[in-house]
Amino acid sequence: MPATVNILYEPLFPVSWSPVAEHHADGPSARVGLLDLLLRSHEIEGLAVPDAPAHSALLRILYALTARVTGLDEALEGPDDWQLLRDEVLADGCLPWKGIERYFARHRERFFLFDPEPGGRPWMQDPRLSDQCDPTSTAGVNKLVVTRPSGNNHSWFRHVRDASPDASTASEAVLNLLTWHYYGPSGRCSSRTVNGVTTASAKAGPLRTSLSYHPEGDTLFETLLAGLVPPTRDVAAERDLCPWEWDDLPDPDGPPPVLTGPCSRLTAGSMHALLLVPEEDGEGVRDAYITWAYRTGRQTRPDDDYLIWQISKQGNAYPRPADSGRALWRDLDALLLIDPPGVAQPRRPTVFEWAVEVSAELRVHALGFEQDGQAKDTQFVDAVTPPVLGFVEKRSARTQPAVGRLRALGERFGSRLDRALRRAWRTYVNDPKDSAHAWAQEGAGRYWPAAEREFWDRFGLLDRTGTALDGGLDATAARTAFLRLAVRAFDDVTASAARTQRGAKAVEEARIELFGDRRSKPVRPDAA
């Protein structure tokens, strides 16, 4: 079978067109090939990939390609010259078609999704797996598509059978291929035999469990330029390679490739090897090999410019994990401030140091996957803020701490509410060891959405001129507003129990936690 489905031309990637696009009537979920994604990025509002981890992974691929076709993959003269070049590209209003044409003319053969010919190099895949893995014990297409149940897992939204799986479309397959490369689990996988040794143990993908934050502009063109970070002076494009640029595939027995610069860090950190098996007509995918890529793993997680890094109690740096129950505004000061508060010493994603030079009206798009390090996947995380990155401008310096104070006030009363509800429940059931999740979770469900609305309302009132003291934040009014929300949630959750004598006593004793007064009761003079 000849190589088929070249992702440069096949419409595999869903996008939403901006109103100025000539063919935006195609619909909000029209798909385009990788070539059109770059050539028409100034007409595309953004990616419309429904799965957050695939969206995050595809953005990293596009960042690397953008750097390649614009020449922003090197900064030999330093970050100032790199910034000037990016300004020139921004002023042109679109990515350079000559750079795109020249790059893909050189690498076109490496962008086929299926290439079963001897010596073929299907995109982001390892053709050696058909010989090194047992063809009767493949992972299967249900395992490839992360939203499908496979193996002994229960079916919730879709009934599929591993013995007779539905084929995957090429679009679905390529997006899930990326999800595996970036968010694949550690642990047991399909056996792979290399140099006579068979093993079936994989390391976790470089983004597994993490939440990444991307600057987002009015068009994909702005988003891609804002997402670039200048390389250090010692980065050379001919050594900082993406996987499809390698002359030869790396040795699975050897160490993983050294990530020498932004392009390799963006695209070559995977610890999994995959190979898609096409249907007979070469259009869809009927099976997949999924196994380990390197026998030895990296000792540390590769640095990533789109993560919030923080410090554990043991002093180790780790990326802030994805949490589907945590709203994006609670991370906002860690995104806007160079030295945000917090015992975890969070470090702002590096990309935001450079993004605002593209536009002060950039939003923050958070994308991630709540999961554990091995097999358990819980939920995608996908959230966008209003335009906020203008706050990192120096002229708004007084406003920056106000964002942190506002976020901290919201967190403070959320924490007090949680403590008060747990205390009330334990007193009510007379069991001090009870986990008390019932009331705490119901209270969180009431408080946090309301607190988020309060946060953005007050965020919109902050001073943009940089002249008002404390950024124009009325801290007293904000404190009163968050306290009012916490009291309302507490009363609503405990209303039914408060009708009984025992419940009313438990509720009233715990209410004091909302006000932060944890002092012990005063001792009466006659108590002794």
Side-chain angles (χ1 to χ4, degrees):
M1 178 186 293
T4 58
V5 187
N6 193 306
I7 66 171
L8 294 181
Y9 312 107
E10 295 293 333
L12 303 181
F13 304 102
V15 299
S16 56
W17 294 100
S18 69
V20 299
E22 293 182 5
H23 302 294
H24 65 276
D26 291 345
S29 61
R31 299 173 189 274
V32 297
L34 205 53
L35 190 61
D36 271 348
L37 262 180
L38 298 179
L39 287 174
R40 302 186 64 186
S41 61
H42 56 291
E43 299 178 89
I44 295 172
E45 193 171 71
L47 300 176
V49 178
D51 297 347
H55 191 157
S56 169
L58 181 56
L59 276 175
R60 284 171 167 80
I61 297 291
L62 294 177
Y63 291 149
L65 291 172
T66 301
R68 283 284 190 258
V69 302
T70 58
L72 291 166
D73 52 353
E74 290 183 336
L76 303 178
E77 303 300 324
D80 291 341
D81 279 3
W82 181 91
Q83 184 63 56
L84 287 174
L85 176 57
R86 187 169 70 166
D87 290 344
E88 291 175 7
V89 177
L90 186 64
D92 291 339
C94 62
L95 295 177
W97 68 267
K98 284 188 177 179
I100 297 172
E101 186 179 56
R102 186 165 51 245
Y103 181 79
F104 287 128
R106 180 181 177 188
H107 297 289
R108 176 182 174 277
E109 299 303 316
R110 297 287 174 80
F111 285 88
F112 281 103
L113 192 60
F114 311 124
D115 192 353
E117 293 291 322
R121 288 277 298 276
W123 188 69
M124 297 290 281
Q125 298 166 66
D126 190 335
R128 298 170 295 186
L129 299 189
S130 58
D131 297 326
Q132 295 174 345
C133 296
D134 181 357
T136 64
S137 183
T138 55
V141 71
N142 289 342
K143 187 74 172 180
L144 170 71
V145 180
V146 297
T147 53
R148 292 188 187 182
S150 63
N152 295 323
N153 292 313
H154 291 291
S155 297
W156 291 98
F157 303 109
R158 178 175 182 174
H159 289 279
V160 293
R161 292 186 301 149
D162 285 350
S164 180
D166 297 334
S168 167
T169 65
S171 175
E172 187 179 33
V174 72
L175 293 174
N176 281 279
L177 173 78
L178 292 178
T179 301
W180 268 94
H181 275 307
Y182 288 84
Y183 294 88
S186 62
R188 187 166 181 82
C189 58
S190 296
S191 297
R192 181 181 187 181
T193 303
V194 176
N195 297 331
V197 179
T198 301
T199 58
S201 180
K203 305 290 182 181
L207 294 181
R208 187 162 183 88
T209 74
S210 67
L211 181 63
S212 55
Y213 304 85
H214 302 267
E216 186 173 88
D218 291 335
T219 64
L220 181 62
F221 171 66
E222 280 190 2
T223 298
L224 295 180
L225 287 183
L228 299 183
V229 175
T232 54
R233 289 171 182 261
D234 59 345
V235 170
E238 64 268 19
R239 294 194 297 274
D240 178 30
L241 298 179
C242 303
W244 55 88
E245 298 170 340
W246 294 335
D247 290 333
D248 300 300
L249 289 171
D251 179 9
D253 254 347
V258 178
L259 308 180
T260 59
C263 287
S264 56
R265 286 203 304 270
L266 285 165
T267 60
S270 176
M271 298 303 293
H272 290 80
L274 292 94
L275 180 62
L276 305 180
V277 181
E279 288 189 296
E280 294 300 323
D281 60 4
E283 297 294 329
V285 173
R286 63 176 175 83
D287 202 351
Y289 296 88
I290 303 175
T291 185
W292 53 274
Y294 306 102
R295 209 184 299 276
T296 58
R298 292 185 174 85
Q299 296 304 312
T300 59
R301 188 189 288 249
D303 200 5
D304 189 285
D305 295 328
Y306 310 90
L307 307 180
I308 294 176
W309 292 85
Q310 49 195 27
I311 305 299
S312 70
K313 293 180 179 177
Q314 292 74 32
N316 302 317
Y318 68 99
R320 180 166 291 182
D323 180 354
S324 57
R326 182 180 173 88
L328 179 55
W329 68 272
R330 298 170 67 184
D331 293 333
L332 196 61
D333 56 336
L335 301 172
L336 300 185
L337 307 183
I338 294 175
D339 296 312
V343 295
Q345 306 174 46
R347 191 186 77 194
R348 186 173 67 173
T350 306
V351 66
F352 292 120
E353 296 176 18
W354 305 92
V356 74
E357 302 297 336
V358 172
S359 170
E361 298 301 314
L362 295 173
R363 302 176 292 275
V364 177
H365 198 163
L367 296 163
F369 201 170
E370 183 179 345
Q371 51 190 175
D372 68 9
Q374 294 187 328
K376 184 179 179 182
D377 295 333
T378 302
Q379 189 169 327
F380 298 152
V381 180
D382 190 334
V384 185
T385 71
V388 295
L389 291 186
F391 278 89
V392 301
E393 292 178 295
K394 293 180 180 177
R395 61 184 172 82
S396 299
R398 288 181 174 177
T399 307
Q400 296 173 26
V403 177
R405 291 187 64 191
L406 189 56
R407 192 275 304 167
L409 285 170
E411 293 273 5
R412 178 187 303 170
F413 288 100
S415 176
R416 288 181 181 180
L417 173 65
D418 180 82
R419 193 164 58 233
L421 288 172
R422 290 180 189 274
R423 176 177 170 179
W425 173 263
R426 288 176 180 134
T427 305
Y428 180 53
V429 299
N430 193 26
D431 184 357
K433 295 183 179 180
D434 192 286
S435 63
H437 288 322
W439 280 2
Q441 289 181 348
E442 186 178 348
R446 293 173 183 271
Y447 173 80
W448 289 113
E452 181 171 12
R453 289 192 293 272
E454 186 69 35
F455 175 86
W456 288 119
D457 288 346
R458 294 190 176 275
F459 181 88
L461 298 176
L462 295 179
D463 173 58
R464 263 64 173 174
T465 66
T467 57
L469 291 174
D470 297 329
L473 174 65
D474 186 342
T476 303
R479 184 181 299 108
T480 302
F482 285 120
L483 173 60
R484 184 172 60 248
L485 295 177
V487 170
R488 183 185 305 163
F490 181 84
D491 289 342
D492 289 346
V493 171
T494 59
S496 58
R499 299 190 185 99
T500 66
Q501 185 176 11
R502 187 178 67 177
K505 182 174 183 294
V507 168
E508 289 309 309
E509 286 182 356
R511 180 184 296 277
I512 196 170
E513 297 281 1
L514 296 173
F515 302 90
D517 188 352
R518 306 193 68 188
R519 293 172 298 180
S520 57
K521 293 181 180 180
V523 179
R524 294 183 304 174
D526 58 346

